[in-house]
Each structure stands twice: as structure tokens, then as C-alpha cells.
Amino acid sequence: MNGTEKIIEFLEKNKGEVISSPRSLFGDSDAGEFEITDINREKEYITIKPEGSIELPFEFSLIKKAVDLVLSEGVVSLEAEEDSGGPVVLEKILKEWQLEENQQMLNTKFVPYIADLIVLSGVAAYGWVKTPEGKKIRAIAVKETQKNPKKTAAKDNSGEWDRLTKNGAQRPKVKNGGAYTKEKADVLVTYATRHGSTADIAWSIGNSFSDAGFKAEVKKIQNVDDVRPYKLVVIGTPIYDNNVLPEVVSFADLHRDWLDKRKVALFVVGRTLRNKDDEKILQTEKIIQKITNIVDIVDTGMFAGKVAPENLPVKERLGGIFGEKQAGDFRDWREIGEWSKELRKKIFFSD
């Protein structure tokens, strides 16, 4: 199945669904939700409706051109301005192509959503790259492992970085020379969050490692450029609408080759997890398969979250007085601390 067909299949499967933009990986202010309102194979166009905006119809041909560009270049910039020597800019190329092909000016509102569809369908992944001038830019990158939707064995990614460097990326430096002691066993706790509850838990886990004598860093997932300096990477995500956040899946996919060579733990946060039973655990395990199908997880923490009434959708606010839809702070800090301690023992054998 080619890249364009993968996107069309994704559109057909998700028509009528509200989708979160994976550009939230970058912290983009416009990376909200959008709905796929129509797709027509015969007339070769799709229509999406961004949250709080009008519908945007555009043709398959724009998607095909964007996919061909990403696959041929390997790395394509999402930035409006092209840095000297850096990757080609998606918007710029699509503008030039549209003008030459149809003698029409491109509606640039389409471009971010075309990029989202490329990532959501699994053709490529979002990530940060650096130009020869050292500027950090948002980009779409194709990875060799993405050619096979099944999880592949870990392999040396140096050749991949050589290819990315040709397009302006710079190979990050590896700390500690690959040797780890308790004092040098760098730990990364990285997280995605919507309203701050998961961030609080991430900091608690990070502090637990620091208090035990480890060098631990806590970062938002969009601020992580390289996972290679760390022996243990702990990833945190809330669960919304029975899904992990898309930026977490994008992160795991982007760094999958190096994560496969490290220990990776996962914690998930949701208000329905405050009274865990076998059924809820099984349901959560199915939800996180989007991550566990990409990278091996040594341990998973499942924690209840915090929900403020104003952060609930309207329909859930109306039902908020009932059962599990009731708002409140259900985080069990003792449980979180115990999980952190057991994780340290599991990875490093002793405190």
C-alpha cells in the first residue's frame, strides 16, 4: 500500500470522528481537534473541519504531492521560512506546485492538516531537527522502521542519521560514553498533558529518582530532542476518549530505534483508574497498544487522575454527578511513589 492510499484508508476509517492534531508534540497553539466530515474517492477530494472553524475541502492531488515529497526528501520542514541549507519547506513546495499545476494560489490553511494526516496514517512522524546554522525546526521525517507496521527488531540507526544529516539534521552527542553507574544512570521522565495532572505525576516520579541519588530530568514530550543520553526513559500520558495522546505515539515512533536500546517504562493517567479491576486493566492495556506495539515497555503504571469540572466536556459536566464522571483529584501519591520505587529496583536492582 502506497503512502497516499494509507492516508485515504485512514480517512475512510475515521470519517465523522473528532481527531486531535499530533502537532501538539511541538506545543503548537493551533494544534487542536479536527473532524473528517467527507471523503469522496470518485471526485478525489476530502473535507475536514477544524475546531471552531469552517470546513476545508481539498483534493487528493495535494496529499499525493505532499506524500511524494516527504518520501523522496526523507525530512521536510514545517517552518514558514526555509533556513539556508535546511530541509525543503512543505508549504513552499505545495504553493509552487499548485500554481504550476492549476494556476491557482494555495490555501495555506490546508497544509498543517495535510501534514497531520501524513503522520496520523503512519507514513512519517513529527520531530525536531537542526539546520547547519543550529536552528531548531519542526519537521516530518520518514523512518526505515515505518515501512513495516509491525514492530521490528532494534538496529543501529547511524545510517538513518547520516541520511537525515544530508537534509540538515545534526547528530546529537551521546553523554556518559555509554557507561552507566548509579550516579551516571541518567533517567528521563517525559510526559504529555492537557490540564497538568499528568505533569504533576511526572515531576513526582522524577523527584523520586533524584531523591534516591539518580540524575533525573523531567521534560514535556515536545521538548525532548534525543533519548540516547538516558538508560531509562519513563513516558507519561493521560487517557482521553479511550485513547492515549497522539503526541506520545508520535514520540515513540520517532525515537523507536533508540528506545529499543534502552529501558522504557510507561505510566497512564485517567479518572476511571481510581478503582482498578481486571476489566479496567485489560481495557487500559488495549488502549496503550498504540505505544506497546512500537516499543517494548518494562513496566506500566496506571494511576487515577485529577479532573476539574471546567475541563470536562459539556455532556460530561451534565453527567458529572454520577459515578466515574464525577470531577475531583483522585491521584494516590503513595501508589505513585511505590511504583517509582519498584521501577528503580527493577531497572537498577537496588536503591
Side-chain angles (χ1 to χ4, degrees):
M1 184 185 300
N2 63 37
T4 305
E5 188 61 33
K6 285 182 72 174
I7 293 176
I8 293 171
E9 184 179 86
F10 172 83
L11 291 165
E12 289 176 335
K13 285 183 178 179
N14 292 278
K15 180 182 175 182
E17 297 292 329
V18 177
I19 298 169
S20 296
S21 168
R23 273 175 289 123
S24 52
L25 172 71
F26 303 117
D28 287 12
S29 59
D30 64 339
E33 296 179 334
F34 64 94
E35 181 182 355
I36 301 165
T37 57
D38 195 16
I39 174 168
N40 191 314
R41 278 185 180 265
E42 185 179 345
K43 296 183 179 180
E44 297 191 333
Y45 76 87
I46 71 166
T47 304
I48 63 171
K49 186 181 185 303
E51 183 181 17
S53 183
I54 62 172
E55 289 187 327
L56 297 174
F58 53 95
E59 298 176 349
F60 286 177
S61 57
L62 273 174
I63 295 176
K64 184 178 187 307
K65 179 63 181 177
V67 169
D68 290 346
L69 179 68
V70 170
L71 294 179
S72 64
E73 292 290 329
V75 180
V76 174
S77 172
L78 299 178
E79 305 295 339
E81 298 295 330
E82 186 169 7
D83 201 323
S84 175
V88 299
V89 178
L90 179 62
E91 182 178 305
K92 179 181 177 182
I93 298 299
L94 291 182
K95 274 184 179 179
E96 293 173 351
W97 178 82
Q98 180 83 332
L99 193 59
E100 180 181 346
E101 189 76 8
N102 300 321
Q103 287 74 52
Q104 294 179 355
M105 293 298 293
L106 177 71
N107 182 345
T108 57
K109 290 181 180 179
F110 298 152
V111 179
Y113 297 101
I114 291 174
D116 281 350
L117 293 174
I118 291 174
V119 172
L120 287 165
S121 61
V123 175
Y126 281 142
W128 295 99
V129 296
K130 289 184 179 178
T131 67
E133 288 76 16
K135 181 180 178 182
K136 183 179 173 182
I137 60 174
R138 302 167 303 155
I140 305 176
V142 176
K143 293 173 66 70
E144 292 300 319
T145 51
Q146 290 174 295
K147 293 180 179 178
N148 185 350
K150 299 293 184 182
K151 187 177 183 299
T152 58
K155 66 178 187 303
D156 187 350
N157 199 31
S158 58
E160 176 70 6
W161 266 102
D162 290 340
R163 183 170 65 78
L164 297 182
T165 302
K166 173 175 70 69
N167 291 284
Q170 292 183 341
R171 185 190 301 271
K173 295 179 180 178
V174 180
K175 299 178 183 178
N176 299 335
Y180 292 93
T181 62
K182 177 176 177 178
E183 290 72 25
K184 295 178 69 178
D186 288 1
V187 176
L188 172 66
V189 182
T190 185
Y191 64 92
T193 190
R194 282 292 180 268
H195 305 294
S197 177
T198 305
D200 292 342
I201 294 174
W203 278 101
S204 177
I205 294 169
N207 289 338
S208 176
F209 274 90
S210 296
D211 292 344
F214 294 86
K215 182 180 177 183
E217 292 186 83
V218 182
K219 294 183 178 181
K220 287 188 72 172
I221 210 159
Q222 57 262 37
N223 294 333
V224 179
D225 297 323
D226 183 19
V227 299
R228 288 182 291 176
Y230 309 99
K231 183 174 183 180
L232 170 65
V233 178
V234 183
I235 302 171
T237 177
I239 293 176
Y240 281 99
D241 296 327
N242 289 321
N243 273 302
V244 295
L245 295 189
E247 56 263 42
V248 177
V249 180
S250 294
F251 172 85
D253 205 17
L254 181 68
H255 297 284
R256 67 192 301 171
D257 286 339
W258 291 108
L259 288 173
D260 271 341
K261 299 175 183 178
R262 276 132 191 86
K263 301 294 185 182
V264 182
L266 175 70
F267 71 91
V268 293
V269 183
R271 66 181 183 275
T272 64
L273 291 172
R274 68 181 186 271
N275 296 314
K276 292 188 286 290
D277 55 27
D278 291 344
E279 183 179 349
K280 287 180 182 177
I281 291 172
L282 182 60
Q283 181 184 19
T284 304
E285 288 175 345
K286 289 180 179 179
I287 291 171
I288 65 174
Q289 280 181 347
K290 288 186 176 180
I291 300 171
T292 58
N293 284 342
I294 297 173
V295 61
D296 288 330
I297 302 296
V298 297
D299 201 1
T300 302
M302 300 180 186
F303 308 125
K306 174 185 177 181
V307 181
E310 63 270 20
N311 293 332
L312 286 170
V314 174
K315 64 181 180 180
E316 294 195 13
R317 288 183 212 170
L318 296 175
I321 60 172
F322 300 107
E324 293 182 343
K325 292 188 176 181
Q326 184 178 4
D329 190 346
F330 306 107
R331 292 171 295 184
D332 184 337
W333 297 107
R334 182 179 176 276
E335 179 189 15
I336 293 165
E338 286 297 320
W339 182 78
S340 302
K341 182 178 179 180
E342 291 304 313
L343 180 61
R344 291 197 303 273
K345 290 181 178 180
K346 193 171 198 174
I347 303 302
F348 303 108
F349 300 104
S350 70
D351 285 342

